Amino acid sequence: MSDPTPLPAPRDPHLRRMANAIRALAMDSVEKANSGHPGMPMGMADIATVLFGQFLHFDPLHPDWPDRDRFVLSNGHGSMLLYALLHLTGYPDMTTDQLQHFRQLGSKTAGHPERGLATGIETTTGPLGQGIANSVGMAIAERHLATEFGDDIVNHRTYVFCGDGCLMEGVSHEALSLAGHLRLNKLTVLWDDNSVTIDGPTSLAVSDDQIARFAAHGWATTRVDGFDHEQIAAAIKWAHTQDRPSLIACRTIIGFGAPTKAGTAHAHGSPLGAEEIKGARERLGWEYPPFVVPDDVRDWWHAAGARGAATRKEWEARLAKLDAAKRDDFLRRQAGKLPADLAKTIGAICEDFRAKNARIATRQASGASLDALVPAVPEIIGGSADLTPSNNTKAKNETEIKPGDFSGRYIHFGIREMGMAAAMNGIVVHGGLIPYGGTFLTFTDYARPSIRLSALMEVGVIYVMTHDSIGLGEDGPTHQPIEHLSALRAIPHLNVFRPADAVETAECWQLALENRHAPSILALTRQPLPLQRNEPHSENRSAKGAYVLAEADGGARQVTLLATGSEVAVAMDARAALAASGIRAAVVSMPCWELFEKQDAAYQNAVLGTAPRVGVEAAVRHGWDRWLGPKSAFVGMHGFGASGPIETVYPHFGFTAEKVAEAARSLL
Ligand SMILES: Cc1ncc(C[n+]2csc(CCOP(=O)(O)OP(=O)(O)O)c2C)c(N)n1
């Protein structure tokens, strides 16, 4: 219930005043926007004041300082808390004007924090649970890089704010469990324990004992009054001494200060209204007009923001003393630049495939590529959601990350697909590492919310998704992806690669690694595929997304067969069958639609041709009409697959040269 009585005296009136600046900016920005969430910033303002004012290592003038502490606002709906902190501590781009344009088109102050829009936003949050799961990846990255470059160079902490919502989301289970298992002792979660969500009190839907839950996951736990600055500071100091990740449960009141809405869901997701804000100002003793921060408060916050500069300079001095080759490597990786000889490494992998006339599954080709890439590209760090032998994700000699020992480069993510994907987002936004992780393509559904965020953040996570069609056979329709390629292609800014053979697989690995600003899906087969490309390797032909693998022999094309992945071999056989009956067919391999889409019209037209087209893909048609044209046919899936050996399942669903040739003939 609301509590219109005066607020209890704060433990530290000075710090309360600093926190009230956050409260006022949050109330006023949400009010001006007529949209947003004032309750959480008002409830967590004192905790944020202690963390940012006394503990967090950061430098607003050097927001990308690699050894800064990471701060994740997992309860991203409270974005005004972060924007107010960035503004008050002196991030130059977070101006008063930006706060006044909260949630407006073109502003840096989007509804939920978006990485890249403003400096100081470490990761995009809003979908509850993602931030806390990202933080696990950040903490892994920190520990691993410390083993590579030393504690002098990498030695920072990761702090997370989260609410009841984040802890109700299933992905939090995966994240907490993995963090506890790995003993990520430099990760601290500060939970906004306010017992309120949108629908009302948390008692409507949950009765978990969160402290016991975190403890069961192997976390150190403590509880504080989220308005008591001394308790908060003591708990953060306590967290620094733990040998495992730590939870600080902070008892708070949502909308703290609001006379009638505090402590209720009414403070959660809508403007407080003029009357309520007036009352809050009175109760908080904040007599300044909207967006005005008095000098003493501004000075204190600026001093808090300036605190990190000296620490950063000390770090720079240590970096300067680092062995030159190591320092260059560190800086190269931080800048997201790949080793200069990557193309050579890929060329050698392709040569090897050709020399062996590799008739292998593309998942095996991916594994063989990793055998060469992992030693050549030290920033690669990988893993699998418990399908290592199936995904072929573990390179020869790739050692494992273990609880308390982060020197390895292979992560057993456990059966936690979304946790893995979200952790990879955390690893990649941390900087210095390129994460890849495997599971079956069909289980991208379990990871999709995090894959979407990789794409929204424009970060180069690499998803190694094997068993990419009904071609996986006996595991049957539960495991056979049908709509997944289409669903993934629907995500903007995500490159979906489906290589046709070993050479294309290595090429797609190169493209995925080189693209540091878009995530990649590598959709790979379980079944062996013949080598299609046996010309000496000079260019990465997959780079244009689609290309003519085999032109029609003996005259103009009568039909063009468009195929991806395992169906390229079927199309090639169909081409031969058509040739035998005097029909001139070309085969176009389309390993990545998104890259093909980026080519100019002249190239696209040359590849697609003007003849009738047949699309071939062991997946649903959805999306294919973009490429098929008016006179066309599609050989694909029209429903779920079936359990059985590939030798029977594949022809059962029509993936034979005869059926494709038949479809082509029907167009002539
Ligand atoms: C995955 C996901 N589901 C639903 C929402 C919508 N949503 C935003 S905030 C919220 C309630 C969160 O409650 P809590 O974490 O306790 O935040 P508080 O009310 O304390 O600010 C919900 C359901 C969301 N942002 N993300």
Side-chain angles (χ1 to χ4, degrees), residues 37-41 44 74-78 112 125-130 162-169 171 191-200 202 252-255 264-265 267-269 449:
H37 300 73
M40 180 285 239
M44 293 195 85
S74 193
N75 38 3
H77 55 278
H112 296 86
T125 54
L128 297 171
Q130 292 291 331
C162 80
D164 300 298
C166 289
L167 298 187
M168 280 195 233
E169 291 292 351
V171 69
W191 166 40
D192 184 22
D193 177 15
N194 65 15
S195 302
V196 168
T197 63
I198 289 179
D199 280 5
T202 48
T252 68
I253 298 168
I254 192 168
T264 77
H268 170 92

Coordinates of all heavy atoms in Angstrom, one line a residue, residues 37-41 44 74-78 112 125-130 162-169 171 191-200 202 252-255 264-265 267-269 449, ligand 1:
H37 N 9.4 4.0 -17.4 CA 9.3 3.3 -16.1 C 10.1 4.1 -15.0 O 11.3 4.0 -14.9 CB 9.9 1.9 -16.2 CG 9.3 1.1 -17.3 ND1 9.4 1.3 -18.6 CD2 8.5 0.0 -17.1 CE1 8.7 0.4 -19.2 NE2 8.1 -0.4 -18.4
P38 N 9.4 4.9 -14.2 CA 10.1 5.6 -13.2 C 10.4 4.8 -11.9 O 11.3 5.1 -11.2 CB 9.1 6.8 -12.9 CG 7.7 6.2 -13.2 CD 7.9 5.2 -14.3
G39 N 9.6 3.8 -11.7 CA 9.6 3.1 -10.4 C 11.0 2.5 -10.1 O 11.5 2.7 -9.0
M40 N 11.6 1.7 -11.0 CA 12.8 1.1 -10.7 C 14.0 2.1 -10.4 O 14.7 1.9 -9.4 CB 13.2 0.1 -11.8 CG 14.5 -0.7 -11.6 SD 15.9 0.4 -11.9 CE 16.7 -0.5 -13.2
P41 N 14.1 3.1 -11.3 CA 15.2 4.1 -11.0 C 15.0 4.7 -9.6 O 16.0 4.9 -8.9 CB 15.1 5.1 -12.1 CG 14.4 4.4 -13.2 CD 13.5 3.4 -12.6
M44 N 16.1 2.0 -7.0 CA 17.5 1.6 -7.0 C 18.5 2.7 -6.9 O 19.7 2.5 -7.0 CB 17.8 0.6 -8.2 CG 17.0 -0.7 -8.1 SD 17.7 -1.9 -9.3 CE 19.1 -2.6 -8.3
S74 N 20.2 -5.2 -16.2 CA 19.4 -6.3 -16.8 C 17.9 -5.9 -16.8 O 17.2 -6.4 -17.7 CB 19.7 -7.6 -16.0 OG 19.2 -8.7 -16.7
N75 N 17.5 -5.2 -15.8 CA 16.1 -4.7 -15.8 C 16.1 -3.4 -16.6 O 15.9 -2.3 -16.1 CB 15.6 -4.5 -14.3 CG 16.7 -3.9 -13.4 OD1 17.8 -3.6 -13.8 ND2 16.3 -3.7 -12.2
G76 N 16.2 -3.7 -17.9 CA 16.4 -2.5 -18.9 C 15.3 -1.6 -19.0 O 15.4 -0.5 -19.5
H77 N 14.1 -2.0 -18.5 CA 12.9 -1.1 -18.5 C 13.3 0.2 -17.7 O 12.7 1.2 -17.9 CB 11.6 -1.7 -18.1 CG 11.7 -2.4 -16.7 ND1 12.2 -3.6 -16.5 CD2 11.4 -1.9 -15.5 CE1 12.2 -3.9 -15.2 NE2 11.7 -2.9 -14.6
G78 N 14.1 0.0 -16.7 CA 14.5 1.1 -15.9 C 15.7 1.9 -16.5 O 16.6 2.4 -15.8
H112 N 14.6 1.3 -24.1 CA 15.5 0.4 -23.4 C 16.9 0.7 -23.8 O 17.1 1.0 -25.0 CB 15.1 -1.1 -23.6 CG 13.7 -1.4 -23.1 ND1 12.6 -1.1 -23.9 CD2 13.3 -1.8 -21.9 CE1 11.5 -1.5 -23.2 NE2 11.9 -1.9 -22.0
T125 N 19.6 -4.2 -23.3 CA 18.8 -5.0 -22.4 C 17.3 -4.5 -22.5 O 17.1 -3.4 -23.1 CB 19.2 -4.8 -20.9 OG1 19.3 -3.4 -20.6 CG2 20.6 -5.5 -20.7
G126 N 16.4 -5.2 -22.0 CA 15.0 -5.0 -22.1 C 14.2 -6.3 -22.1 O 13.3 -6.4 -21.3
P127 N 14.6 -7.2 -23.0 CA 14.0 -8.6 -22.8 C 14.6 -9.1 -21.5 O 15.8 -9.4 -21.4 CB 14.6 -9.3 -24.0 CG 15.0 -8.2 -25.0 CD 15.5 -7.1 -24.1
L128 N 13.7 -9.3 -20.5 CA 14.2 -9.6 -19.2 C 15.0 -10.9 -19.1 O 14.7 -11.9 -19.9 CB 13.0 -9.7 -18.2 CG 12.2 -8.4 -18.1 CD1 10.9 -8.7 -17.3 CD2 13.1 -7.4 -17.4
G129 N 16.0 -10.9 -18.3 CA 16.9 -12.1 -18.2 C 18.1 -12.1 -19.1 O 19.1 -12.7 -18.8
Q130 N 18.0 -11.4 -20.2 CA 19.2 -11.4 -21.1 C 20.4 -10.7 -20.5 O 21.5 -11.3 -20.7 CB 18.8 -10.7 -22.4 CG 17.8 -11.4 -23.2 CD 18.2 -12.7 -23.8 OE1 19.4 -12.9 -24.1 NE2 17.3 -13.6 -24.0
C162 N 19.4 -6.3 -11.5 CA 18.2 -7.0 -12.0 C 17.0 -7.0 -11.1 O 17.2 -6.6 -9.9 CB 18.6 -8.5 -12.3 SG 18.5 -9.5 -10.8
G163 N 15.9 -7.3 -11.7 CA 14.7 -7.2 -10.9 C 14.0 -8.6 -10.7 O 14.6 -9.6 -11.1
D164 N 12.8 -8.6 -10.2 CA 12.1 -9.9 -10.0 C 11.9 -10.5 -11.4 O 12.0 -11.7 -11.5 CB 10.8 -9.6 -9.4 CG 10.9 -9.0 -8.0 OD1 11.5 -9.7 -7.1 OD2 10.4 -7.9 -7.8
G165 N 11.6 -9.7 -12.4 CA 11.4 -10.2 -13.7 C 12.5 -11.0 -14.3 O 12.3 -12.1 -14.8
C166 N 13.7 -10.5 -14.2 CA 14.9 -11.2 -14.7 C 15.0 -12.6 -14.0 O 15.4 -13.6 -14.6 CB 16.2 -10.4 -14.5 SG 16.3 -8.9 -15.5
L167 N 14.7 -12.6 -12.7 CA 14.9 -13.8 -12.0 C 13.8 -14.8 -12.2 O 13.9 -16.0 -11.9 CB 15.1 -13.5 -10.5 CG 16.3 -12.7 -10.1 CD1 16.5 -12.6 -8.6 CD2 17.6 -13.2 -10.8
M168 N 12.7 -14.3 -12.7 CA 11.6 -15.3 -13.1 C 11.8 -15.9 -14.4 O 11.4 -17.0 -14.7 CB 10.2 -14.5 -13.1 CG 9.6 -14.3 -11.7 SD 7.9 -13.9 -11.9 CE 7.9 -12.4 -10.9
E169 N 12.5 -15.2 -15.3 CA 12.8 -15.7 -16.6 C 13.6 -17.0 -16.5 O 14.6 -17.0 -15.8 CB 13.5 -14.7 -17.5 CG 12.7 -13.5 -17.9 CD 11.5 -13.8 -18.9 OE1 11.5 -15.0 -19.4 OE2 10.7 -12.9 -19.1
V171 N 15.9 -18.1 -18.5 CA 17.3 -18.0 -18.8 C 18.1 -17.7 -17.6 O 19.3 -18.0 -17.6 CB 17.5 -17.0 -20.0 CG1 17.2 -15.5 -19.5 CG2 18.9 -17.1 -20.6
W191 N 20.2 -7.4 -6.7 CA 18.8 -7.7 -7.0 C 17.9 -6.7 -6.4 O 17.9 -6.5 -5.2 CB 18.4 -9.1 -6.6 CG 17.0 -9.4 -6.5 CD1 16.0 -9.1 -7.4 CD2 16.3 -10.2 -5.5 NE1 14.8 -9.6 -7.0 CE2 14.9 -10.3 -5.9 CE3 16.7 -10.9 -4.4 CZ2 14.0 -11.0 -5.1 CZ3 15.8 -11.5 -3.6 CH2 14.5 -11.6 -4.0
D192 N 17.0 -6.1 -7.2 CA 16.0 -5.1 -6.8 C 14.8 -5.8 -6.2 O 13.9 -6.1 -6.9 CB 15.6 -4.2 -8.0 CG 14.7 -3.1 -7.6 OD1 14.7 -2.7 -6.5 OD2 14.0 -2.7 -8.5
D193 N 15.0 -6.2 -4.9 CA 14.0 -7.0 -4.3 C 12.8 -6.1 -3.8 O 12.8 -5.8 -2.6 CB 14.7 -7.7 -3.1 CG 13.8 -8.6 -2.3 OD1 12.7 -8.9 -2.8 OD2 14.2 -9.0 -1.2
N194 N 12.0 -5.8 -4.7 CA 10.9 -4.9 -4.3 C 9.5 -5.5 -4.3 O 8.5 -4.9 -4.1 CB 10.9 -3.6 -5.2 CG 10.6 -3.9 -6.7 OD1 10.1 -5.0 -7.0 ND2 10.9 -3.0 -7.6
S195 N 9.5 -6.8 -4.7 CA 8.2 -7.6 -4.6 C 7.1 -7.0 -5.5 O 5.9 -7.3 -5.2 CB 7.7 -7.7 -3.2 OG 8.7 -8.4 -2.4
V196 N 7.5 -6.3 -6.5 CA 6.4 -5.8 -7.4 C 6.8 -6.0 -8.9 O 8.0 -5.9 -9.2 CB 6.2 -4.2 -7.2 CG1 5.4 -3.6 -8.3 CG2 5.6 -4.0 -5.8
T197 N 5.9 -6.4 -9.7 CA 6.1 -6.5 -11.1 C 4.9 -5.7 -11.8 O 4.3 -4.9 -11.1 CB 6.2 -7.9 -11.7 OG1 4.9 -8.6 -11.4 CG2 7.3 -8.7 -11.0
I198 N 4.6 -6.0 -13.0 CA 3.5 -5.2 -13.7 C 2.1 -5.5 -13.2 O 1.3 -4.6 -12.9 CB 3.6 -5.4 -15.2 CG1 4.8 -4.7 -15.8 CG2 2.3 -4.8 -15.9 CD1 5.0 -4.9 -17.3
D199 N 1.9 -6.8 -13.0 CA 0.5 -7.2 -12.6 C 0.2 -6.9 -11.2 O -1.0 -6.9 -10.8 CB 0.4 -8.7 -12.9 CG 0.1 -9.1 -14.3 OD1 0.1 -8.1 -15.1 OD2 -0.2 -10.2 -14.6
G200 N 1.2 -6.6 -10.4 CA 1.0 -6.3 -9.0 C 2.1 -6.9 -8.1 O 3.2 -7.0 -8.6
T202 N 4.5 -9.5 -6.4 CA 5.1 -10.8 -6.9 C 4.4 -12.0 -6.4 O 4.4 -13.1 -7.0 CB 6.6 -10.9 -6.6 OG1 6.8 -10.6 -5.2 CG2 7.4 -9.9 -7.4
T252 N 14.1 -3.1 -1.5 CA 13.8 -1.7 -1.9 C 12.3 -1.5 -2.0 O 11.5 -2.4 -1.9 CB 14.4 -1.4 -3.3 OG1 13.7 -2.1 -4.3 CG2 15.8 -1.6 -3.4
I253 N 11.9 -0.3 -2.3 CA 10.5 0.1 -2.6 C 10.4 0.7 -3.9 O 11.1 1.7 -4.2 CB 10.0 1.1 -1.5 CG1 10.1 0.5 -0.1 CG2 8.6 1.6 -1.8 CD1 9.9 1.5 1.0
I254 N 9.6 0.1 -4.8 CA 9.5 0.7 -6.2 C 8.9 2.1 -6.1 O 8.0 2.3 -5.2 CB 8.6 -0.3 -7.1 CG1 8.8 0.2 -8.5 CG2 7.2 -0.3 -6.6 CD1 8.2 -0.9 -9.5
G255 N 9.4 3.0 -6.9 CA 8.9 4.4 -6.9 C 9.2 5.1 -5.6 O 8.4 6.0 -5.2
T264 N 3.9 0.2 -5.2 CA 2.8 -0.4 -6.0 C 3.2 -0.5 -7.4 O 4.1 0.2 -7.9 CB 1.5 0.4 -5.9 OG1 1.6 1.5 -6.8 CG2 1.2 0.9 -4.5
A265 N 2.5 -1.4 -8.1 CA 2.7 -1.6 -9.6 C 2.4 -0.3 -10.3 O 2.9 -0.1 -11.5 CB 1.9 -2.7 -10.1
A267 N 3.7 2.5 -9.9 CA 5.0 3.2 -10.1 C 5.8 2.5 -11.2 O 6.9 3.1 -11.6 CB 5.8 3.2 -8.8
H268 N 5.4 1.4 -11.7 CA 6.3 0.6 -12.6 C 6.4 1.2 -14.0 O 7.5 1.6 -14.4 CB 5.8 -0.8 -12.7 CG 6.5 -1.6 -13.8 ND1 7.6 -2.4 -13.5 CD2 6.2 -1.7 -15.1 CE1 8.0 -2.9 -14.6 NE2 7.2 -2.6 -15.6
G269 N 5.3 1.3 -14.7 CA 5.5 1.5 -16.2 C 4.7 2.7 -16.8 O 4.5 2.6 -18.0
P449 N 15.9 -15.7 -28.7 CA 15.9 -14.3 -28.2 C 17.3 -13.7 -28.1 O 17.4 -12.5 -28.3 CB 15.3 -14.5 -26.8 CG 14.5 -15.8 -26.9 CD 15.3 -16.6 -27.8
Ligands
LIG1 C1 11.1 -11.3 -21.8 C2 10.3 -10.2 -21.3 N1 9.0 -10.4 -20.9 C3 8.2 -9.4 -20.6 C4 8.6 -8.1 -20.5 C5 7.7 -7.0 -20.2 N2 8.1 -6.5 -18.8 C6 8.8 -5.4 -18.7 S1 9.1 -5.0 -17.1 C7 8.2 -6.3 -16.6 C8 8.0 -6.6 -15.1 C9 9.3 -6.6 -14.4 O1 9.2 -6.7 -13.1 P1 10.5 -6.4 -12.2 O2 11.7 -7.0 -12.7 O3 10.1 -6.7 -10.8 O4 10.6 -4.8 -12.3 P2 10.1 -3.7 -11.4 O5 8.6 -3.7 -11.5 O6 10.6 -3.9 -10.1 O7 10.7 -2.5 -12.1 C10 7.7 -7.0 -17.6 C11 6.8 -8.2 -17.5 C12 10.0 -7.9 -20.9 N3 10.5 -6.7 -20.9 N4 10.8 -8.9 -21.2

